[in-house]
Amino acid sequence: MSRRSRRSGGRAARVAARAAGLKKSERPVRPGMTGGAYRPLTDSQMQDVFDAALELLEEVGMGDPIPEFIEAVTEAGGWVDDNGRLHFPGSLVNRAIEMAAKSWVWHGIDESRSIELADRKVHFGTAGAAVLVFDHVTQAYRPSTTQDLYDLARLVDTLEHIHFFVRPVVTREVEGAREVDINTAYAAIMGTTKPIGTSFFQAAHVYEVVEICDMVLGGPGEFRKRPFIAANATFVVPPLRFAMETAEGMVAMARTGMPINLLSAGQAGATSPATLAGSLVQAVAECLAALTCVNMLVPGHPCVMGLWPFVSDLRTGAMTGGSGEEAVLAAAAAQVANWIGLPSGVPAGMTDSKLIDGQAGHEKGLTVALAAQAGANLIYESGGMMASILACSLEMMVIDNDLLGAVNRTVRGIEVNPESLARHVIKDVIAGEGHFLGHEQTLRVMQQEYLYPQIGDRLSPEDWWDAGGLSASDRAHEYVVQTLASHFPSHVSPEVDARIRERYPIRLPVESVRGG
């Protein structure tokens, strides 16, 4: 009797331990697995790309520079020509690279969810400015809203393999640049404690959002200590021309301590050269120009080399986010940024499909896997995006979470050491029971090294049918419905929320963020 009780107690303890989950350090995958195994470019080719970019910056320069950039760059050795173009000598760009932040922490509101941009550590997240949502109720496209943005944020808050949340949709029902910028940031802040990203129409709005962040963290100056919002700054009108309002916003971001994704998004064959190498050269040149300007203003300010070279389909004129060309171009962009020694950010997972279907699956899998294997620090657009980033889907986001976990497992690779070679285990089994099911190593390793999908199905056909015969979309739909009905993050207190609402024109009703 006592023996049975001991065995029962041991089993109960094991069940309880499994229910509690593994510690972060013991999980099969986690944020920041090291990539870099895939290298589409040789070292000499990366040198050629870099040299060509420096040549463009010195000989052609950047058009439409703002006064702050002109002053900072000319004082450091640059010059403005008769056409008003700002030129960057190679020595100046290399000096900026030397002083630039090589690694930095993108904080979460929950510090345990912060991520480190360093070396080739890989993280997956969202991004975009989709104008449509594929509605999980009607299964039809409609304009995106602030409520959609908040719902996407709180969904991502529950998904293990999406490590950061950058605004994936725009708030189309909101009018006015100030209200759009404030409500976009507010919806993201209220929806998740993971690192957050947004964008701004005007520099003044940066200061207002920083004030909101200070309120969330406890008082003035707190955001600068722990910046949890990074800004996507599409600072350039390709080819090689600054976008004035975004450039002014970058000055505000640098002055407030807000990390900046220096985002160059030329489209091959339209706003950048049709050759993949030429498109990459232009993106590198544009990002290095912005990096130089920021570091001349605030040395060492946290920045991302946001190399987002896109590809066109000349049959339709549309951007194609799921092509093989886009996959290899994004991977090469990450490789070049890593080679230069700067934090890298690229887009991947941007299917051209309009449905949650096989096309979406193979395009997302291809592009995300190559970017991750190349060692991109931040992989944007990797969750939920559809229709060449014109739309976002909550159900697709859930399915993508499984994909990202699996891709991250490939980034982890195979550990080879005396324990994993398992010679002693093979000898034990041959001398004992003749199978590995009961061996101590089996359960431990299959918990810590094997990743199990959240909604992916691995049942036999008979068991799958008996369980309802649901598709991945069906299971994702159930997860979305349950999450939206129950998950209302409460990291911002009602008192702080009330103060934010007193000061700023918040569109989301209180009951939307409190579960009323």
Side-chain angles (χ1 to χ4, degrees):
M1 183 70 68
S2 62
R3 181 179 178 185
R4 185 178 302 124
S5 299
R6 284 197 301 272
R7 292 186 62 173
S8 176
R11 182 179 183 278
R14 290 193 296 273
V15 171
R18 286 196 292 272
L22 296 172
K23 293 187 293 185
K24 194 171 185 178
S25 61
E26 296 177 342
R27 294 174 188 171
V29 296
R30 49 196 174 272
M33 307 299 294
T34 301
Y38 176 53
R39 295 171 53 84
L41 300 174
T42 66
D43 286 346
S44 63
Q45 288 172 329
M46 288 187 287
Q47 185 70 57
D48 289 342
V49 168
F50 182 70
D51 290 344
L54 292 188
E55 179 181 321
L56 286 174
L57 289 178
E58 183 158 353
E59 296 184 4
V60 179
M62 294 287 294
D64 297 337
I66 61 174
E68 292 90 341
F69 287 179
I70 293 174
E71 180 180 1
V73 171
T74 55
E75 286 184 356
W79 69 92
V80 178
D81 65 22
D82 293 340
N83 296 315
R85 299 188 70 86
L86 181 61
H87 293 253
F88 300 75
S91 59
L92 172 59
V93 177
N94 280 309
R95 189 171 5 134
I97 292 172
E98 289 177 5
M99 67 174 63
K102 306 302 187 297
S103 64
W104 50 275
V105 174
W106 188 358
H107 295 272
I109 298 177
D110 178 346
E111 193 63 66
S112 70
R113 306 179 98 173
S114 301
I115 59 179
E116 182 186 17
L117 281 67
D119 301 322
R120 299 178 307 282
K121 295 182 177 181
V122 177
H123 307 88
F124 304 99
T126 63
V131 296
L132 300 171
V133 163
F134 189 68
D135 193 290
H136 69 283
V137 177
T138 65
Q139 296 294 294
Y141 285 100
R142 60 168 175 77
S144 55
T145 66
T146 309
Q147 183 67 51
D148 293 321
L149 180 58
Y150 173 65
D151 289 345
L152 285 161
R154 59 193 178 110
L155 182 67
V156 166
D157 196 58
T158 71
L159 298 175
E160 177 183 359
H161 306 301
I162 299 179
H163 306 138
F164 60 92
F165 180 78
V166 178
R167 172 212 65 180
V169 299
V170 296
T171 57
R172 289 185 63 181
E173 88 285 12
V174 179
E175 296 182 358
R178 178 174 181 262
E179 289 200 22
V180 168
D181 285 351
I182 288 172
N183 279 278
T184 297
Y186 174 84
I189 291 169
M190 298 300 290
T192 182
T193 61
K194 294 182 179 181
I196 293 167
T198 187
S199 60
F200 296 92
F201 282 107
Q202 295 178 10
H205 308 160
V206 175
Y207 297 100
E208 293 185 300
V209 167
V210 167
E211 183 177 55
I212 292 174
C213 295
D214 278 340
M215 295 167 70
V216 169
L217 292 179
E222 292 302 310
F223 176 77
R224 184 177 288 275
K225 299 176 187 175
R226 196 153 60 86
F228 63 85
I229 286 186
N232 274 1
T234 310
F235 64 92
V236 66
V237 180
L240 297 172
R241 184 159 59 92
F242 285 113
M244 183 184 69
E245 289 187 345
T246 307
E248 292 172 344
M250 287 167 56
V251 175
M253 296 162 200
R255 288 174 175 168
T256 58
M258 182 178 290
I260 310 172
N261 177 24
L262 306 170
L263 204 163
S264 166
Q267 193 164 329
T271 56
S272 67
T275 63
L276 300 188
S279 183
L280 182 57
V281 166
Q282 181 178 305
V284 171
E286 290 168 345
C287 283
L288 287 176
L291 182 87
T292 302
C293 291
V294 170
N295 278 275
M296 293 304 107
L297 290 169
V298 181
H301 185 77
C303 292
V304 179
M305 285 284 282
L307 300 165
W308 288 31
F310 290 134
V311 173
S312 303
D313 187 326
L314 293 185
R315 299 171 302 178
T316 63
M319 188 276 286
T320 168
S323 64
E325 293 84 4
E326 180 63 38
V328 72
L329 189 52
Q335 186 188 3
V336 170
N338 294 339
W339 178 79
I340 296 172
L342 299 169
S344 56
V346 301
M350 308 168 291
T351 181
D352 302 317
S353 178
K354 316 308 178 288
L355 298 172
I356 302 173
D357 60 7
Q359 178 185 344
H362 82 73
E363 290 180 347
K364 286 172 172 285
L366 170 68
T367 56
V368 171
L370 264 60
Q373 290 292 345
N377 293 134
L378 300 174
I379 302 180
Y380 297 90
E381 311 273 13
S382 64
M385 302 310 288
M386 299 173 64
S388 304
I389 66 174
L390 289 174
C392 189
S393 161
L394 284 87
E395 293 159 327
M396 190 82 258
M397 191 84 76
V398 175
I399 296 172
D400 286 342
N401 180 66
D402 271 5
L403 166 66
L404 298 177
V407 169
N408 209 13
R409 184 61 186 85
T410 72
V411 173
R412 174 176 174 175
I414 298 175
E415 291 84 8
V416 177
N417 54 50
E419 167 70 12
S420 67
L421 289 171
R423 287 173 293 200
H424 65 289
V425 178
I426 296 170
K427 293 174 183 178
D428 289 347
V429 167
I430 290 174
E433 297 181 353
H435 63 79
F436 297 88
L437 293 174
H439 197 280
E440 177 276 333
Q441 187 193 62
T442 300
L443 180 59
R444 172 170 50 85
V445 168
M446 294 194 77
Q447 285 182 310
Q448 297 180 3
E449 294 192 20
Y450 285 68
L451 183 67
Y452 301 95
Q454 187 167 10
I455 58 102
D457 173 71
R458 292 177 174 174
L459 297 173
S460 70
E462 293 82 3
D463 290 341
W464 167 77
W465 183 256
D466 291 342
L470 300 179
S471 67
S473 297
D474 294 331
R475 291 187 294 276
H477 177 82
E478 290 183 352
Y479 185 91
V480 168
V481 170
Q482 293 171 5
T483 300
L484 297 189
S486 61
H487 185 64
F488 295 90
S490 58
H491 53 280
V492 178
S493 70
E495 294 75 19
V496 170
D497 187 25
R499 292 204 299 274
I500 294 171
R501 290 173 179 275
E502 287 174 4
R503 184 166 178 77
Y504 294 104
I506 302 302
R507 287 297 190 93
L508 282 175
V510 172
E511 56 269 22
S512 292
V513 298
R514 296 294 165 198

